[in-house]
Amino acid sequence: MSEETFENEAAAAEGAPGAGEAVAAESALGAGEAAAAEGAAAAEGAETPETEPAPLPLTVVLASGSPRRHRLLNEAGVKHVVRLPQVPVDETLEPDQLADPAEACKKLAERKAGAVVQELLAENPVGMFAVIGADTMVVKDGQIFGKPANLSDGKHMLRQLSGATHSVITAVSLWLISAPDAEKLSMGFRTFADESLVTFKSLTDDEIADYLRKGESFDKAGAYAIQGEGRHLVSSVQGAMDTVIGLPAKKLVEQFPDLLQAK
Ligand SMILES: Cc1cn([C@H]2C[C@H](O)[C@@H](COP(=O)(O)OP(=O)(O)OP(=O)(O)O)O2)c(=O)[nH]c1=O
Protein backbone atom coordinates (compact mmCIF):
# COMPACT_ATOMS: atom_id res chain seq x y z
CA MET A 1 0.00 0.00 0.00
CA SER A 2 1.26 3.39 -0.76
CA GLU A 3 -0.21 6.79 -0.53
CA GLU A 4 0.74 9.61 -2.82
CA THR A 5 -0.16 13.26 -2.58
CA PHE A 6 0.88 16.07 -4.81
CA GLU A 7 1.54 19.54 -3.60
CA ASN A 8 0.36 22.56 -5.46
CA GLU A 9 3.60 23.50 -7.09
CA ALA A 10 2.68 27.18 -7.15
CA ALA A 11 2.82 27.37 -3.35
CA ALA A 12 5.91 29.01 -1.97
CA ALA A 13 8.38 26.56 -0.45
CA GLU A 14 10.01 27.54 2.78
CA GLY A 15 13.63 28.48 2.22
CA ALA A 16 13.21 28.33 -1.52
CA PRO A 17 14.88 31.00 -3.59
CA GLY A 18 12.40 33.61 -4.80
CA ALA A 19 9.69 30.97 -4.67
CA GLY A 20 6.92 33.54 -4.41
CA GLU A 21 7.62 35.36 -7.61
CA ALA A 22 9.60 33.02 -9.79
CA VAL A 23 7.49 29.86 -9.72
CA ALA A 24 5.90 29.06 -13.05
CA ALA A 25 3.52 26.24 -12.31
CA GLU A 26 3.13 25.20 -15.92
CA SER A 27 6.81 24.56 -16.33
CA ALA A 28 7.05 22.29 -13.32
CA LEU A 29 5.59 19.16 -14.82
CA GLY A 30 8.04 18.08 -17.42
CA ALA A 31 11.15 19.29 -19.07
CA GLY A 32 9.72 18.62 -22.51
CA GLU A 33 6.60 20.67 -21.77
CA ALA A 34 8.57 23.69 -20.62
CA ALA A 35 10.86 23.50 -23.64
CA ALA A 36 7.82 23.18 -25.91
CA ALA A 37 6.20 26.23 -24.27
CA GLU A 38 9.33 28.28 -24.93
CA GLY A 39 9.34 27.11 -28.52
CA ALA A 40 5.64 27.93 -28.98
CA ALA A 41 6.06 31.43 -27.54
CA ALA A 42 8.97 32.12 -29.88
CA ALA A 43 7.05 30.77 -32.88
CA GLU A 44 3.94 32.92 -32.21
CA GLY A 45 5.80 36.19 -32.68
CA ALA A 46 7.74 35.09 -35.72
CA GLU A 47 6.40 35.66 -39.25
CA THR A 48 7.89 32.58 -40.79
CA PRO A 49 9.49 30.33 -38.23
CA GLU A 50 12.37 28.72 -40.08
CA THR A 51 13.44 26.11 -37.60
CA GLU A 52 12.16 24.79 -34.29
CA PRO A 53 14.47 25.81 -31.46
CA ALA A 54 16.46 22.83 -30.27
CA PRO A 55 15.14 21.50 -26.94
CA LEU A 56 17.28 22.55 -24.02
CA PRO A 57 19.48 19.78 -22.69
CA LEU A 58 18.28 18.51 -19.31
CA THR A 59 20.67 18.08 -16.40
CA VAL A 60 19.30 16.19 -13.41
CA VAL A 61 20.89 17.16 -10.11
CA LEU A 62 20.42 14.90 -7.08
CA ALA A 63 20.71 17.13 -4.01
CA SER A 64 21.59 14.28 -1.68
CA GLY A 65 24.60 12.69 -0.05
CA SER A 66 22.79 9.37 0.32
CA PRO A 67 24.51 6.65 -1.72
CA ARG A 68 21.20 4.75 -1.68
CA ARG A 69 19.36 7.57 -3.42
CA HIS A 70 22.15 7.81 -6.02
CA ARG A 71 21.92 4.08 -6.66
CA LEU A 72 18.10 4.01 -6.85
CA LEU A 73 18.05 6.90 -9.32
CA ASN A 74 20.68 5.15 -11.44
CA GLU A 75 18.67 1.92 -11.34
CA ALA A 76 15.60 3.84 -12.53
CA GLY A 77 17.63 4.92 -15.57
CA VAL A 78 17.97 8.62 -14.69
CA LYS A 79 21.39 10.04 -15.52
CA HIS A 80 22.31 12.62 -12.93
CA VAL A 81 24.99 14.44 -11.03
CA VAL A 82 25.14 14.59 -7.25
CA ARG A 83 25.47 18.01 -5.68
CA LEU A 84 25.34 18.94 -2.00
CA PRO A 85 24.84 22.50 -0.75
CA GLN A 86 27.97 24.17 0.58
CA VAL A 87 26.14 24.98 3.82
CA PRO A 88 24.41 21.89 5.27
CA VAL A 89 20.62 22.18 5.40
CA ASP A 90 19.09 22.94 8.79
CA GLU A 91 16.79 19.97 9.38
CA THR A 92 15.16 21.27 12.57
CA LEU A 93 11.38 21.61 12.53
CA GLU A 94 9.00 23.34 14.91
CA PRO A 95 6.78 21.08 17.08
CA ASP A 96 3.68 22.08 15.10
CA GLN A 97 5.44 21.07 11.86
CA LEU A 98 6.26 17.67 13.35
CA ALA A 99 2.58 17.02 14.10
CA ASP A 100 2.05 15.97 10.48
CA PRO A 101 4.95 13.65 9.53
CA ALA A 102 4.24 13.59 5.78
CA GLU A 103 4.16 17.40 5.67
CA ALA A 104 7.31 17.59 7.80
CA CYS A 105 9.05 15.18 5.46
CA LYS A 106 7.99 17.22 2.41
CA LYS A 107 9.25 20.40 4.04
CA LEU A 108 12.70 18.86 4.54
CA ALA A 109 12.81 17.50 0.98
CA GLU A 110 11.99 21.04 -0.26
CA ARG A 111 14.67 22.57 1.93
CA LYS A 112 17.27 20.12 0.64
CA ALA A 113 16.42 20.69 -3.03
CA GLY A 114 15.89 24.44 -2.48
CA ALA A 115 19.38 24.91 -1.02
CA VAL A 116 20.98 23.46 -4.14
CA VAL A 117 18.62 25.41 -6.43
CA GLN A 118 19.68 28.61 -4.69
CA GLU A 119 23.36 27.92 -5.32
CA LEU A 120 22.69 26.85 -8.90
CA LEU A 121 20.75 30.04 -9.67
CA ALA A 122 23.64 32.16 -8.38
CA GLU A 123 25.73 30.66 -11.19
CA ASN A 124 23.38 32.05 -13.91
CA PRO A 125 22.82 28.64 -15.45
CA VAL A 126 21.76 28.15 -19.05
CA GLY A 127 19.80 25.02 -19.94
CA MET A 128 17.16 22.91 -18.26
CA PHE A 129 17.80 21.58 -14.77
CA ALA A 130 15.79 19.22 -12.58
CA VAL A 131 16.94 19.33 -8.96
CA ILE A 132 15.77 16.50 -6.70
CA GLY A 133 15.81 16.54 -2.89
CA ALA A 134 14.42 13.81 -0.62
CA ASP A 135 13.86 12.99 3.00
CA THR A 136 12.96 9.73 4.74
CA MET A 137 11.29 9.33 8.13
CA VAL A 138 10.20 6.31 10.11
CA VAL A 139 6.94 6.95 11.94
CA LYS A 140 5.48 4.81 14.72
CA ASP A 141 2.36 5.91 16.62
CA GLY A 142 2.88 9.51 15.51
CA GLN A 143 6.47 9.53 16.73
CA ILE A 144 9.09 10.38 14.10
CA PHE A 145 12.38 8.50 14.07
CA GLY A 146 15.23 10.01 12.11
CA LYS A 147 18.79 8.72 12.25
CA PRO A 148 19.82 7.47 15.70
CA ALA A 149 22.19 9.81 17.53
CA ASN A 150 24.02 6.94 19.26
CA LEU A 151 23.82 3.28 20.21
CA SER A 152 21.24 3.71 22.96
CA ASP A 153 19.08 5.83 20.69
CA GLY A 154 19.27 3.05 18.07
CA LYS A 155 18.34 0.48 20.71
CA HIS A 156 15.38 2.58 21.81
CA MET A 157 14.14 2.91 18.21
CA LEU A 158 14.44 -0.81 17.42
CA ARG A 159 12.65 -1.73 20.66
CA GLN A 160 9.79 0.55 19.64
CA LEU A 161 9.64 -1.00 16.16
CA SER A 162 9.85 -4.62 17.40
CA GLY A 163 6.76 -6.78 16.79
CA ALA A 164 4.75 -3.96 15.22
CA THR A 165 3.99 -2.12 12.00
CA HIS A 166 5.37 1.35 11.25
CA SER A 167 5.34 3.76 8.32
CA VAL A 168 8.31 4.79 6.27
CA ILE A 169 7.63 8.06 4.51
CA THR A 170 9.90 9.38 1.81
CA ALA A 171 9.18 12.81 0.38
CA VAL A 172 10.64 13.98 -2.90
CA SER A 173 10.85 17.56 -4.07
CA LEU A 174 11.59 18.14 -7.74
CA TRP A 175 12.48 21.59 -9.00
CA LEU A 176 12.56 22.40 -12.67
CA ILE A 177 14.58 25.37 -13.87
CA SER A 178 14.28 26.42 -17.48
CA ALA A 179 16.91 28.95 -18.56
CA PRO A 180 17.07 29.17 -22.36
CA ASP A 181 19.60 31.99 -22.09
CA ALA A 182 21.20 34.15 -19.41
CA GLU A 183 18.27 36.64 -19.54
CA LYS A 184 15.33 34.23 -19.26
CA LEU A 185 14.49 31.94 -16.41
CA SER A 186 11.39 30.14 -15.20
CA MET A 187 11.12 27.75 -12.36
CA GLY A 188 8.61 25.47 -10.73
CA PHE A 189 8.58 22.70 -8.19
CA ARG A 190 6.47 19.79 -7.12
CA THR A 191 6.72 17.80 -3.91
CA PHE A 192 5.12 14.49 -3.07
CA ALA A 193 5.34 11.94 -0.29
CA ASP A 194 5.12 8.18 -0.61
CA GLU A 195 4.48 5.82 2.28
CA SER A 196 5.25 2.14 2.81
CA LEU A 197 4.31 0.05 5.82
CA VAL A 198 6.96 -2.18 7.38
CA THR A 199 6.20 -4.86 9.97
CA PHE A 200 9.00 -6.00 12.26
CA LYS A 201 9.37 -9.43 13.85
CA SER A 202 9.39 -9.51 17.65
CA LEU A 203 13.01 -8.91 18.61
CA THR A 204 14.77 -9.75 21.86
CA ASP A 205 17.24 -7.29 23.36
CA ASP A 206 20.05 -9.67 22.36
CA GLU A 207 18.88 -9.68 18.75
CA ILE A 208 18.72 -5.87 18.78
CA ALA A 209 22.21 -5.64 20.27
CA ASP A 210 23.55 -8.11 17.67
CA TYR A 211 22.04 -6.06 14.89
CA LEU A 212 23.36 -2.74 16.17
CA ARG A 213 26.85 -4.28 16.32
CA LYS A 214 26.74 -4.73 12.55
CA GLY A 215 27.12 -0.95 12.31
CA GLU A 216 24.71 -0.24 9.46
CA SER A 217 22.15 1.60 11.62
CA PHE A 218 23.70 4.97 12.12
CA ASP A 219 22.99 6.77 8.88
CA LYS A 220 19.53 5.23 8.49
CA ALA A 221 16.16 6.57 9.64
CA GLY A 222 14.72 4.23 12.29
CA ALA A 223 18.16 2.65 12.87
CA TYR A 224 17.80 -0.13 10.29
CA ALA A 225 18.59 -0.79 6.64
CA ILE A 226 16.03 -3.00 4.93
CA GLN A 227 18.43 -3.38 1.99
CA GLY A 228 21.12 -4.79 4.31
CA GLU A 229 21.20 -7.07 7.33
CA GLY A 230 18.12 -5.22 8.57
CA ARG A 231 16.01 -7.32 6.22
CA HIS A 232 16.22 -10.10 8.83
CA LEU A 233 14.33 -7.87 11.28
CA VAL A 234 11.39 -7.46 8.92
CA SER A 235 8.43 -9.80 8.49
CA SER A 236 6.56 -7.91 5.76
CA VAL A 237 6.46 -4.76 3.64
CA GLN A 238 3.41 -3.16 2.07
CA GLY A 239 4.23 -0.58 -0.56
CA ALA A 240 7.30 0.28 -2.54
CA MET A 241 10.65 -1.02 -1.34
CA ASP A 242 12.54 1.93 -2.85
CA THR A 243 10.46 4.28 -0.67
CA VAL A 244 11.80 2.47 2.42
CA ILE A 245 15.39 2.66 1.12
CA GLY A 246 15.13 6.43 0.56
CA LEU A 247 13.76 7.33 -2.87
CA PRO A 248 10.53 6.26 -4.62
CA ALA A 249 12.45 6.33 -7.88
CA LYS A 250 9.95 4.31 -9.92
CA LYS A 251 7.09 6.64 -8.97
CA LEU A 252 9.28 9.66 -9.63
CA VAL A 253 9.97 8.49 -13.18
CA GLU A 254 6.31 7.57 -13.72
CA GLN A 255 5.32 11.10 -12.73
CA PHE A 256 8.15 12.81 -14.60
CA PRO A 257 9.14 10.58 -17.54
CA ASP A 258 11.16 13.42 -19.06
CA LEU A 259 13.77 12.73 -16.39
CA LEU A 260 14.83 9.79 -18.54
CA GLN A 261 15.97 12.25 -21.22
CA ALA A 262 18.70 13.69 -19.01
CA LYS A 263 22.17 13.79 -20.51
C1 LIG B 1 14.35 2.86 6.81
C2 LIG B 1 15.59 2.99 5.96
C3 LIG B 1 16.21 4.20 5.76
N1 LIG B 1 17.34 4.30 4.99
C4 LIG B 1 18.03 5.57 4.77
C5 LIG B 1 17.53 6.43 3.61
C6 LIG B 1 18.13 7.79 3.92
O1 LIG B 1 19.42 7.87 3.29
C7 LIG B 1 18.30 7.76 5.44
C8 LIG B 1 17.45 8.80 6.12
O2 LIG B 1 18.15 10.00 6.15
P1 LIG B 1 17.76 11.32 5.37
O3 LIG B 1 17.95 12.45 6.32
O4 LIG B 1 16.43 11.18 4.71
O5 LIG B 1 18.82 11.42 4.19
P2 LIG B 1 20.40 11.40 4.21
O6 LIG B 1 20.93 12.26 5.32
O7 LIG B 1 20.86 9.97 4.18
O8 LIG B 1 20.78 12.04 2.82
P3 LIG B 1 20.50 13.54 2.27
O9 LIG B 1 19.83 14.35 3.35
O10 LIG B 1 21.87 14.06 1.90
O11 LIG B 1 19.63 13.33 1.06
O12 LIG B 1 17.90 6.46 5.88
C9 LIG B 1 17.87 3.16 4.38
O13 LIG B 1 18.89 3.25 3.68
N2 LIG B 1 17.25 1.96 4.56
C10 LIG B 1 16.14 1.81 5.32
O14 LIG B 1 15.62 0.66 5.45
Side-chain angles (χ1 to χ4, degrees):
M1 189 220 62
S2 69
E3 175 202 311
E4 203 164 314
T5 51
F6 280 85
E7 281 287 270
N8 179 348
E9 64 276 9
E14 183 196 296
E21 79 275 5
V23 168
E26 312 85 273
S27 69
L29 300 182
E33 268 178 45
E38 288 291 343
E44 258 176 40
E47 283 174 15
T48 45
E50 285 167 14
T51 49
E52 284 287 310
L56 292 171
L58 174 67
T59 303
V60 175
V61 181
L62 176 63
S64 171
S66 163
R68 280 83 53 184
R69 294 192 174 122
H70 175 53
R71 180 171 59 77
L72 290 167
L73 202 54
N74 272 334
E75 285 171 2
V78 178
K79 293 192 186 115
H80 63 279
V81 293
V82 169
R83 178 169 174 166
L84 290 174
Q86 280 169 13
V87 179
V89 171
D90 177 4
E91 295 192 28
T92 51
L93 291 168
E94 298 300 323
D96 63 316
Q97 294 175 310
L98 293 168
D100 183 337
E103 286 304 313
C105 204
K106 290 199 290 195
K107 192 136 305 252
L108 291 185
E110 283 170 4
R111 274 191 205 168
K112 290 177 185 182
V116 168
V117 166
Q118 197 154 27
E119 291 182 5
L120 189 62
L121 291 183
E123 296 163 7
N124 297 317
V126 173
M128 184 82 74
F129 300 86
V131 180
I132 298 166
D135 192 77
T136 301
M137 289 176 175
V138 163
V139 185
K140 169 89 194 314
D141 300 330
Q143 218 188 329
I144 297 175
F145 297 148
K147 297 172 188 169
N150 50 42
L151 209 59
S152 75
D153 199 18
K155 188 173 165 187
H156 169 76
M157 289 182 186
L158 293 175
R159 272 182 169 168
Q160 302 281 311
L161 301 180
S162 170
T165 299
H166 62 268
S167 293
V168 182
I169 300 172
T170 294
V172 182
S173 185
L174 181 139
W175 293 66
L176 190 76
I177 300 168
S178 169
D181 58 49
E183 308 296 313
K184 279 194 215 144
L185 185 128
S186 62
M187 190 168 74
F189 72 94
R190 187 167 266 210
T191 306
F192 68 93
D194 194 54
E195 180 187 36
S196 293
L197 298 180
V198 177
T199 303
F200 263 34
K201 298 172 187 166
S202 289
L203 305 170
T204 63
D205 279 355
D206 281 350
E207 285 168 328
I208 289 174
D210 283 349
Y211 178 64
L212 288 169
R213 265 196 293 276
K214 296 184 194 299
E216 67 180 19
S217 304
F218 296 103
D219 59 346
K220 315 288 185 321
Y224 72 95
I226 201 164
Q227 70 276 27
E229 292 300 307
R231 67 187 183 281
H232 299 299
L233 312 180
V234 171
S235 61
S236 68
V237 178
Q238 284 174 271
M241 192 63 113
D242 56 6
T243 293
V244 184
I245 303 172
L247 189 73
K250 288 193 192 80
K251 289 194 172 101
L252 181 65
V253 169
E254 273 164 28
Q255 295 296 330
F256 305 101
D258 289 346
L259 290 173
L260 295 170
Q261 291 169 17
K263 302 288 174 225

